[in-house]
Amino acid sequence: QLMLQESGPGLVKPSETLSLTCTVSGASISSTTYYWGWIRQSPGKGLEWIGAFYYSGNTYYNPSLKSRVTISVDASKNHFSLKLSSVNAADTAVYYCARHGLSTYVRSHFDYWGQGTLVTVSS
Amino acid sequence: DIVMTQSPDSLAVSLGERATINCKSSQSVLYSATNKNYLAWYQQKPGQPPKLLIYWASTRESGVPDRFSGSGSGTDFTLTISSLQAEDVAVYYCQQYYSNPPDLTFGGGTKVEIK
């Protein structure tokens, strides 16, 4: 059974960097043929795709967030991470990690989701 | 980017009755080379992540009850719950995955309640 679990600080100060980790169990990130990504949900902007990576090296980001986002992977720990820099109140949201459901395609629906973690940006 | 617009924002339906949710994309999400519509539907209950119901506009995800169905093509899509059950109370979202380069976008959601 594939499971994803987000972890990280629930409170980040304005202008600092938000850092989250998604730990995957039930599958190996490095040996599957799927993209793995991040999505966030806020009352103001609804569901918003942040970006995704493929273990072989391809990474894609939402154009509106691209200048502030980095997604990286640690295959030895079977987890991947999100960094969002220069945060402000508009970045307050529930952050989800998810698997893109179509093998080898980033242009895909999402078939497995983590439970989500609330990150609040506030001083 | 492709803007997804859902209607209505909310609806109340009696148990056993049909619920219909609409989703309109600002440009076609039908890819001519594959003749597939790059559109998915999700159900989200309070405190839970979205759950995939439908992809390719009309393909039901494994384990999803057959009272859920998706239809439409191009820019206009519909999610139908043929006979509403109490456990179907949730917010429903559409999502397009057509954009290239990738910019996956969601609709604003439709809240379904019991009348």
Side-chain angles (χ1 to χ4, degrees):
Chain A
Q1 173 76 354
L2 180 63
M3 296 182 67
L4 297 85
Q5 179 67 58
E6 306 87 352
S7 58
L11 181 65
V12 181
K13 290 181 168 55
S15 80
E16 295 190 344
T17 296
L18 177 160
S19 295
L20 295 174
T21 295
C22 178
T23 300
V24 178
S25 58
S28 170
I29 291 175
S30 61
S31 61
T32 63
T33 57
Y34 294 91
Y35 277 82
W36 304 86
W38 290 94
I39 299 147
R40 68 182 183 180
Q41 184 172 29
S42 62
K45 298 195 75 174
L47 287 160
E48 183 177 31
W49 176 70
I50 299 170
F53 79 96
Y54 192 72
Y55 185 71
S56 66
N58 289 347
T59 306
Y60 294 92
Y61 299 125
N62 184 319
S64 69
L65 298 170
K66 186 174 183 177
S67 63
R68 298 194 292 135
V69 175
T70 302
I71 294 175
S72 59
V73 60
D74 185 337
S76 66
K77 296 180 180 178
N78 211 39
H79 74 206
F80 58 101
S81 299
L82 169 70
K83 290 189 185 300
L84 180 65
S85 64
S86 304
V87 298
N88 57 58
D91 295 309
T92 293
V94 175
Y95 285 76
Y96 296 100
C97 55
R99 190 183 80 166
H100 290 233
L102 296 175
S103 179
T104 74
Y105 286 97
V106 64
R107 295 162 67 204
S108 171
H109 55 270
F110 306 97
D111 60 352
Y112 287 92
W113 296 65
Q115 283 299 306
T117 187
L118 173 63
V119 178
T120 302
V121 179
S122 174
S123 55
Chain B
D1 58 339
I2 298 177
V3 177
M4 308 301 290
T5 303
Q6 289 184 231
S7 63
D9 292 337
S10 64
L11 74 161
V13 177
S14 300
L15 288 172
E17 296 299 306
R18 179 184 300 261
T20 301
I21 300 167
N22 301 302
C23 175
K24 188 175 184 66
S25 57
S26 61
Q27 65 186 74
S28 176
V29 298
L30 173 63
Y31 185 38
S32 56
T34 60
N35 199 34
K36 289 186 174 184
N37 288 281
Y38 284 45
L39 184 110
W41 288 98
Y42 300 85
Q43 174 193 67
Q44 187 177 32
K45 298 180 179 180
Q48 297 183 17
K51 173 189 174 184
L52 177 66
L53 297 175
I54 303 278
Y55 57 98
W56 296 133
S58 61
T59 300
R60 204 178 297 114
E61 174 72 335
S62 175
V64 173
D66 61 7
R67 64 180 180 272
F68 292 92
S69 63
S71 62
S73 185
T75 61
D76 293 280
F77 300 90
T78 299
L79 175 70
T80 301
I81 309 172
S82 61
S83 176
L84 191 74
Q85 304 300 304
E87 61 265 32
D88 300 335
V89 169
V91 180
Y92 293 84
Y93 295 93
C94 59
Q95 177 231 334
Q96 66 80 18
Y97 43 101
Y98 179 88
S99 296
N100 197 16
D103 183 12
L104 313 179
T105 54
F106 294 82
T110 295
K111 186 175 185 178
V112 174
E113 299 173 307
I114 304 295
K115 184 187 291 183

